[in-house]
Amino acid sequence: MANPTPDISVIVPVYNELENIPELLKRIHQTFQNAELSYELILVDDGSTDGSRESYPEFIAPYPQATVVLLSRNFGQQPAISAGINRARGKTACFIDADLQDPPEVIPDMLKELAAGYDVIYGKRTQRDGETFFKKATSKLFYKSLSWLASTEIPRDAGDFRVMNRKALDALKALPERRRFLRGMISWIGFKQKAFEYERHSRFAGETHYTLTKMIQFAAIGITSFSTAPLRFVTYSGLLILSLSLIASIVVIAVKFTNPDYFLPGFTPIILLLMFFGGFQTFCMGLVGEYVGRVYDEAKGRPLYIVSQILQSHDPDE
Ligand code: UDP
Ligand code: MG
């Protein structure tokens, strides 16, 4: 490497993106060449099974700026980005998806905004092509609920596409949690942050890896990371139900004494109440379980990801 500290470290989580990688490498290289900026590109392969792992050496050979970190299995997009963060040496850093939904060509403009006195510039989507109505609607609902529940303001219509300076990156690195919701963690660190509007395109090739199950897991991590309001909801509704039952018990006892025959045909309210409380209690236990599971995960203290191999490393010790 000619420049030991590149102007920017570009971090890309990659999972089964064989057809996108050559185009991504080309567009990133052209972008920084045109902008006369030095860069390092850290592709973190999150356990791809589509043959990408065999093709990387050939793909990256023309680009000495690129490194590939091969993780030992599929850990998820957020741990993959974290693996990139831990290796980044640049004066600034950028997170971008491998599918070219976020155009690399706007990064130099984002860097200009950053240089104007900000610590984080986050991409805000003005338009989202190629995403289903269902995805857009659920995502909207999720961010609405999150902003209602969480004490940290997490920007809407923003993914992980971001540019930040060293100060923000180091602050982010210092957060030790294992279940990660990076877009929230970046808001949490504070500093001066600003939105950068851009149009999000359709994928260059391939399909989304976020299935409904993965989206629900991601949403649960987001909410449990930034809010304990659901636990408070459990406490308050428990209190409310307890008060209502107290009133009901008084009524029942009073009726029992004044009109002893009244309750004989009363099967319906009993079964309805039983079903309601059964369901409600199970739901509450599940909610509490989400947080307990999280504590358990953090307590295990396992690493976030495991690296199996590094291709074209810039670190002389490796
Ligand atoms: N990704 C990953 N690990 C996963 C799933 C996705 O590293 O388990 C990467 C993927 O290759 C892409 C980025 O995360 O670069 C975003 O994924 P995707 O495009 O599938 O999500 P969407 O844009 O549909 O939300
Ligand atoms: Mg995508």
Side-chain angles (χ1 to χ4, degrees):
M1 280 292 281
N3 183 357
T5 309
D7 292 324
I8 184 166
S9 299
V10 180
I11 298 166
V12 191
V14 187
Y15 180 54
N16 292 347
E17 307 276 11
L18 184 62
E19 289 165 82
N20 292 319
I21 298 302
E23 180 74 11
L24 177 81
L25 286 161
K26 195 174 88 194
R27 280 176 56 182
I28 288 187
H29 187 72
Q30 267 169 6
T31 301
F32 292 112
Q33 214 173 27
N34 294 346
E36 295 180 358
L37 291 168
S38 61
Y39 73 99
E40 69 171 353
L41 174 62
I42 306 172
L43 298 172
V44 184
D45 184 280
D46 189 20
S48 294
T49 50
D50 63 348
S52 318
R53 288 167 91 98
E54 291 71 39
S55 310
Y56 288 125
E58 187 193 328
F59 287 163
I60 62 174
Y63 305 101
Q65 298 88 344
T67 299
V68 179
V69 178
L70 297 170
L71 300 187
S72 63
R73 64 169 171 85
N74 181 241
F75 284 89
Q77 183 197 3
Q78 306 285 305
I81 299 177
S82 307
I85 293 175
N86 291 338
R87 288 189 67 85
R89 299 174 307 120
K91 291 177 198 148
T92 62
C94 167
F95 308 159
I96 186 168
D97 287 352
D99 56 10
L100 295 162
Q101 282 195 277
D102 310 317
E105 290 75 18
V106 303
I107 301 174
D109 291 335
M110 293 170 89
L111 283 174
K112 274 186 203 140
E113 295 263 341
L114 193 76
Y118 291 92
D119 300 295
V120 178
I121 301 293
Y122 56 91
K124 189 173 167 65
R125 306 156 180 175
T126 50
Q127 198 181 322
R128 302 170 73 154
D129 291 340
E131 288 180 308
T132 59
F133 170 76
F134 179 76
K135 172 132 187 176
K136 286 187 218 171
T138 45
S139 144
K140 206 170 174 174
L141 180 75
F142 168 65
Y143 284 100
K144 263 211 163 116
S145 337
L146 190 63
S147 77
W148 184 62
L149 292 170
S151 42
T152 306
E153 189 61 47
I154 296 163
R156 309 241 180 115
D157 293 316
D160 287 315
F161 187 35
R162 272 167 175 72
V163 164
M164 68 203 73
N165 60 18
R166 201 14 87 181
K167 182 166 87 174
L169 192 73
D170 285 341
L172 186 64
K173 266 170 86 169
L175 304 191
E177 66 225 64
R178 267 145 244 281
R179 288 208 199 172
R180 306 192 137 224
F181 187 68
L182 282 166
R183 50 197 78 170
M185 291 161 66
I186 296 172
S187 300
W188 183 89
I189 60 170
F191 299 130
K192 280 184 82 180
Q193 310 210 0
K194 191 179 175 214
F196 178 92
E197 295 194 341
Y198 75 105
E199 277 178 31
R200 187 162 155 102
H201 304 291
S202 306
R203 275 178 155 266
F204 181 72
E207 276 175 16
T208 178
H209 302 103
Y210 272 86
T211 53
L212 185 61
T213 329
K214 270 197 180 171
M215 274 180 358
I216 293 173
Q217 278 170 357
F218 189 56
I221 292 177
I223 290 176
T224 54
S225 291
F226 286 94
S227 175
T228 46
L231 291 176
R232 228 166 306 133
F233 159 79
V234 171
T235 317
Y236 288 157
S237 37
L239 271 177
L240 179 74
I241 290 172
L242 197 69
S243 330
L244 290 177
S245 340
L246 252 165
I247 299 171
S249 321
I250 296 171
V251 173
V252 168
I253 293 167
V255 173
K256 179 93 186 146
F257 279 110
T258 49
N259 187 357
D261 297 333
Y262 185 80
F263 280 119
L264 272 181
F267 178 72
T268 319
I270 291 177
I271 201 76
L272 286 182
L273 281 175
L274 264 177
M275 281 181 352
F276 171 74
F277 284 112
F280 186 72
Q281 279 174 348
T282 316
F283 169 71
C284 290
M285 269 170 60
L287 257 185
V288 177
E290 279 293 321
Y291 287 88
V292 176
R294 215 192 140 106
V295 173
Y296 173 60
D297 247 18
E298 301 290 341
K300 277 191 288 193
R302 290 189 186 158
L304 260 178
Y305 55 84
I306 291 174
V307 174
S308 82
Q309 203 188 342
I310 294 166
L311 309 174
Q312 221 166 261
S313 168
H314 299 136
D315 185 344
D317 296 337
E318 277 167 351

